[in-house]
């Protein structure tokens, strides 16, 4: 199975900050990497697919990059609605696997 | 708009069975592969199973293989997850999720349902 490792597991940031989350795959997955946002008590929301493509309706403050084994999610200017847990997921091979999540909290 | 509504969750005894349903609307259900993904209380996301748009191709996580069966009825726009021999570690919120096309590989989830809680006691 492909292991996905996210870092950090949590971070504290202020409104307006630029935030970057890293996701590493245990083997190369090309660009078959997605990012999801989840708020407490809610279903996940799809943000990014193919490592850097925004899902429909997702604001451009979210951006993704990377290929192979190293990926990043960047939020350009953190807003109150962005405080949530973010997950990466590889879909290069089954079983699909998720990273452990990064909780973004208010400083 | 795309809607996925799960149902069928609840409290169930260890070793018993439960069937989850996911009703789809707002899109042509028969043109999309579908996933089940679960989340144990306070934990991360875990992929469970996938089914192709026509129901022919299926794949399962090792943790549920042989106990869970994914299926669909395209005439009813409904996805199912039959869960047998339930274990304590199956306790989770179960989400159905849509893939944006026919194929069940190489595509990323675009829409999620709101989830249904299964508690095994």
């Amino acid at each position: 199975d492909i292991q996905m490792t996210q870092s950090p597991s949590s971070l504290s940031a202020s409104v307006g900050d630029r935030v970057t989350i890293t996701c590493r795959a245990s083997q190369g997955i090309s660009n078959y990497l997605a990012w999801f946002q989840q708020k407490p008590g809610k279903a996940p929301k799809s943000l990014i697919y193919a490592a850097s493509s925004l899902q429909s309706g997702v604001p451009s403050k979210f951006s993704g990059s990377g290929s192979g084994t190293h990926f990043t999610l960047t939020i350009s200017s953190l807003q109150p609605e962005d405080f949530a847990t973010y997950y990466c997921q590889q879909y290069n091979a089954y079983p699909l696997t998720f990273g452990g999540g990064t909780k973004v909290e208010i400083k | 708009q795309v809607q996925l509504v799960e149902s069928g969750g609840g409290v169930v005894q260890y070793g018993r069975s439960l069937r989850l349903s996911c009703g789809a609307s707002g899109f042509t259900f028969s043109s999309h592969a579908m996933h089940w993904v679960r989340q144990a209380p306070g934990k991360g996301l875990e992929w469970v199973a996938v089914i192709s748009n026509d129901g022919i191709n299926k794949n399962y996580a090792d943790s549920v293989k042989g106990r869970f069966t994914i299926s669909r009825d395209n005439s009813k726009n409904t996805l199912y997850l039959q869960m047998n021999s339930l274990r304590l570690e199956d306790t989770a919120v179960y989400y159905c999720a849509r893939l944006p096309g026919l194929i069940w590989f190489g595509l990323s989830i675009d829409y999620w349902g709101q989830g249904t809680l299964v508690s095994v006691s």
Side-chain angles (χ1 to χ4, degrees), chain B residues 46-105:
Chain B
E46 179 188 16
W47 172 74
V48 173
V50 63
I51 187 167
S52 59
N53 69 303
D54 56 7
I56 292 175
N57 293 295
K58 305 173 186 181
N59 203 331
Y60 299 92
D62 285 347
S63 58
V64 306
K65 199 173 294 182
R67 300 187 300 122
F68 289 12
T69 301
I70 189 171
S71 63
R72 63 191 297 160
D73 186 337
N74 285 344
S75 69
K76 295 182 178 179
N77 292 337
T78 304
L79 174 72
Y80 301 102
L81 186 67
Q82 177 67 43
M83 304 185 295
N84 299 332
S85 303
L86 282 161
R87 304 168 178 169
L88 296 179
E89 57 265 34
D90 295 321
T91 294
V93 174
Y94 285 75
Y95 298 101
C96 63
R98 192 188 85 159
L99 290 179
L102 297 173
I103 60 174
W104 55 285
F105 49 89

Side-chain angles (χ1 to χ4, degrees), chain A residues 6-68:
Chain A
Q6 280 182 242
S7 61
S9 57
S10 66
L11 65 89
S12 294
S14 301
V15 172
D17 283 354
R18 180 183 179 90
V19 168
T20 298
I21 299 167
T22 297
C23 179
R24 292 185 184 273
S26 60
Q27 63 190 74
I29 59 170
S30 184
N31 68 336
Y32 292 104
L33 191 283
W35 289 96
F36 304 100
Q37 176 195 64
Q38 188 177 35
K39 297 180 180 179
K42 300 295 186 183
K45 175 186 176 183
S46 300
L47 294 178
I48 286 173
Y49 66 98
S52 61
S53 298
L54 289 181
Q55 291 280 359
S56 175
V58 174
S60 59
K61 62 182 172 181
F62 292 98
S63 63
S65 66
S67 182

Side-chain angles (χ1 to χ4, degrees), chain B residues 16-52:
Chain B
R16 303 298 291 266
S17 299
L18 202 62
R19 188 177 81 158
L20 305 183
S21 300
C22 170
S25 61
F27 64 101
T28 304
F29 180 66
S30 60
S31 295
H32 293 264
M34 299 290 295
H35 285 294
W36 286 100
V37 176
R38 68 184 180 182
Q39 187 171 35
K43 302 297 185 182
L45 299 168
E46 179 188 16
W47 172 74
V48 173
V50 63
I51 187 167
S52 59

Side-chain angles (χ1 to χ4, degrees), chain A residues 66-107:
Chain A
S67 182
T69 63
H70 184 221
F71 303 86
T72 60
L73 171 69
T74 299
I75 310 172
S76 60
S77 177
L78 207 62
Q79 296 303 305
E81 64 269 22
D82 302 327
F83 291 94
T85 299
Y86 294 84
Y87 294 94
C88 63
Q89 181 218 33
Q90 68 80 20
Y91 54 100
N92 179 70
Y94 282 94
L96 306 186
T97 46
F98 292 86
T102 297
K103 186 174 184 180
V104 177
E105 298 176 300
I106 300 173
K107 182 182 285 184

